[in-house]
Amino acid sequence: MALRLSRQRGGDAAAIAIIQGLAQHILAPVDFSEASLHAARLAARWAARDGARLTVVHAAAIDEPQVAERLAAIDTDGHPADRRVLSGDPADAIVRVASQGIDLIVMATHGIGALRRFLLGSVAAKVLHDAPCPVLTTNGDSGTDPFQHALVAV
């Protein structure tokens, strides 16, 4: 599993806080792809380990049928999670929520498909660039221990 921690602002203090388990509120955006569901489970395990609050969100520019039910069905390994449906551009909506007290975003690097990503731009790339907090991205591999290797650039 490849894990990347990106911090656009704030230097290494944010990375150290996360490594030491000081993230109190974790955001897990999902698009219901397998990669994003894996990232949500990773976020839930991390939140459970550190006693952090977890918020799982789905953001879409258009209304989607039964999205609230699908969001409620996401497995968070038994860790309680707030669940929210957001409207608007997914990256903008995720950054907007992150600016409301989120300490860490955990999200997949892909999910919507190569053609849409090429035409619309990567949601993960936009979030990495604009988020007010650290962003942990995962490629969606389903390894049992996601913390074997981590690359932190400071």
Side-chain angles (χ1 to χ4, degrees), residues 99-154:
S99 69
Q100 300 170 359
I102 297 295
D103 300 308
L104 173 67
I105 300 170
V106 178
M107 67 186 301
T109 55
H110 58 278
I112 61 171
L115 179 58
R116 280 189 64 197
R117 186 171 41 252
F118 174 74
L119 295 173
L120 301 176
S122 167
V123 172
K126 290 178 185 177
V127 171
L128 283 165
H129 183 267
D130 297 338
C133 61
V135 177
L136 177 86
T137 61
T138 177
N139 63 4
D141 288 349
S142 59
T144 57
D145 184 0
F147 304 107
Q148 289 178 357
H149 304 283
L151 172 63
V152 179
V154 290

Side-chain angles (χ1 to χ4, degrees), residues 41-130:
R41 288 188 299 271
L42 175 63
R45 286 195 303 266
W46 204 325
R49 182 195 72 188
D50 294 343
R53 194 170 148 208
L54 176 64
T55 299
V56 180
V57 299
H58 173 74
I62 59 170
D63 288 335
E64 297 178 18
Q66 302 172 331
V67 70
E69 293 84 1
R70 293 177 70 194
L71 197 58
I74 291 177
D75 177 18
T76 57
D77 285 341
H79 189 74
D82 299 324
R83 296 158 197 267
R84 297 175 55 190
V85 178
L86 310 172
S87 60
D89 174 75
D92 292 341
I94 292 164
V95 170
R96 195 169 45 251
V97 170
S99 69
Q100 300 170 359
I102 297 295
D103 300 308
L104 173 67
I105 300 170
V106 178
M107 67 186 301
T109 55
H110 58 278
I112 61 171
L115 179 58
R116 280 189 64 197
R117 186 171 41 252
F118 174 74
L119 295 173
L120 301 176
S122 167
V123 172
K126 290 178 185 177
V127 171
L128 283 165
H129 183 267
D130 297 338

